[in-house]
Tab-separated table of all heavy atoms in Angstrom:
chain	number	residue	atom	x	y	z
A	284	ILE	N	-65.500	94.159	-1.787
A	284	ILE	CA	-65.950	93.591	-3.062
A	284	ILE	C	-64.818	92.809	-3.715
A	284	ILE	O	-65.023	91.695	-4.228
A	284	ILE	CB	-66.446	94.714	-3.996
A	284	ILE	CG1	-67.736	95.321	-3.454
A	284	ILE	CG2	-66.646	94.180	-5.421
A	284	ILE	CD1	-68.166	96.590	-4.171
A	285	ALA	N	-63.624	93.373	-3.700
A	285	ALA	CA	-62.477	92.699	-4.317
A	285	ALA	C	-62.220	91.345	-3.678
A	285	ALA	O	-61.744	90.414	-4.353
A	285	ALA	CB	-61.230	93.579	-4.199
A	286	HIS	N	-62.537	91.203	-2.405
A	286	HIS	CA	-62.281	89.959	-1.675
A	286	HIS	C	-63.544	89.118	-1.484
A	286	HIS	O	-63.525	88.147	-0.725
A	286	HIS	CB	-61.664	90.283	-0.304
A	286	HIS	CG	-60.281	90.841	-0.386
A	286	HIS	ND1	-60.034	92.168	-0.645
A	286	HIS	CD2	-59.065	90.250	-0.260
A	286	HIS	CE1	-58.725	92.388	-0.670
A	286	HIS	NE2	-58.115	91.241	-0.434
A	287	GLY	N	-64.648	89.471	-2.160
A	287	GLY	CA	-65.873	88.688	-2.047
A	287	GLY	C	-65.637	87.231	-2.411
A	287	GLY	O	-64.791	86.911	-3.253
A	288	PHE	N	-66.390	86.340	-1.790
A	288	PHE	CA	-66.114	84.911	-1.975
A	288	PHE	C	-67.396	84.133	-2.249
A	288	PHE	O	-68.505	84.572	-1.930
A	288	PHE	CB	-65.393	84.331	-0.752
A	288	PHE	CG	-66.049	84.634	0.561
A	288	PHE	CD1	-67.052	83.809	1.082
A	288	PHE	CD2	-65.683	85.755	1.293
A	288	PHE	CE1	-67.653	84.087	2.298
A	288	PHE	CE2	-66.281	86.052	2.509
A	288	PHE	CZ	-67.278	85.209	3.014
A	289	ALA	N	-67.246	82.964	-2.859
A	289	ALA	CA	-68.380	82.122	-3.220
A	289	ALA	C	-68.946	81.428	-1.995
A	289	ALA	O	-68.207	80.953	-1.136
A	289	ALA	CB	-67.946	81.087	-4.259
A	290	LEU	N	-70.282	81.397	-1.929
A	290	LEU	CA	-71.004	80.611	-0.922
A	290	LEU	C	-72.225	80.022	-1.610
A	290	LEU	O	-72.931	80.738	-2.325
A	290	LEU	CB	-71.460	81.475	0.251
A	290	LEU	CG	-70.481	81.813	1.367
A	290	LEU	CD1	-71.204	82.617	2.447
A	290	LEU	CD2	-69.862	80.574	1.971
A	291	GLY	N	-72.504	78.762	-1.389
A	291	GLY	CA	-73.684	78.159	-1.973
A	291	GLY	C	-73.612	78.122	-3.487
A	291	GLY	O	-72.537	78.172	-4.089
A	292	GLY	N	-74.788	78.096	-4.117
A	292	GLY	CA	-74.831	77.953	-5.564
A	292	GLY	C	-75.097	79.237	-6.310
A	292	GLY	O	-75.279	79.209	-7.532
A	293	GLY	N	-75.129	80.370	-5.615
A	293	GLY	CA	-75.457	81.626	-6.281
A	293	GLY	C	-74.423	82.709	-6.038
A	293	GLY	O	-73.228	82.487	-6.185
A	294	ILE	N	-74.914	83.893	-5.632
A	294	ILE	CA	-74.041	85.060	-5.426
A	294	ILE	C	-73.561	85.082	-3.985
A	294	ILE	O	-74.360	85.127	-3.048
A	294	ILE	CB	-74.801	86.361	-5.748
A	294	ILE	CG1	-75.261	86.353	-7.209
A	294	ILE	CG2	-73.915	87.571	-5.476
A	294	ILE	CD1	-76.164	87.524	-7.562
A	295	GLY	N	-72.244	85.057	-3.798
A	295	GLY	CA	-71.661	85.093	-2.464
A	295	GLY	C	-71.533	86.513	-1.942
A	295	GLY	O	-71.785	87.489	-2.651
Side-chain angles (χ1 to χ4, degrees):
I284 291 170
H286 292 82
F288 51 88
L290 278 183
I294 300 173

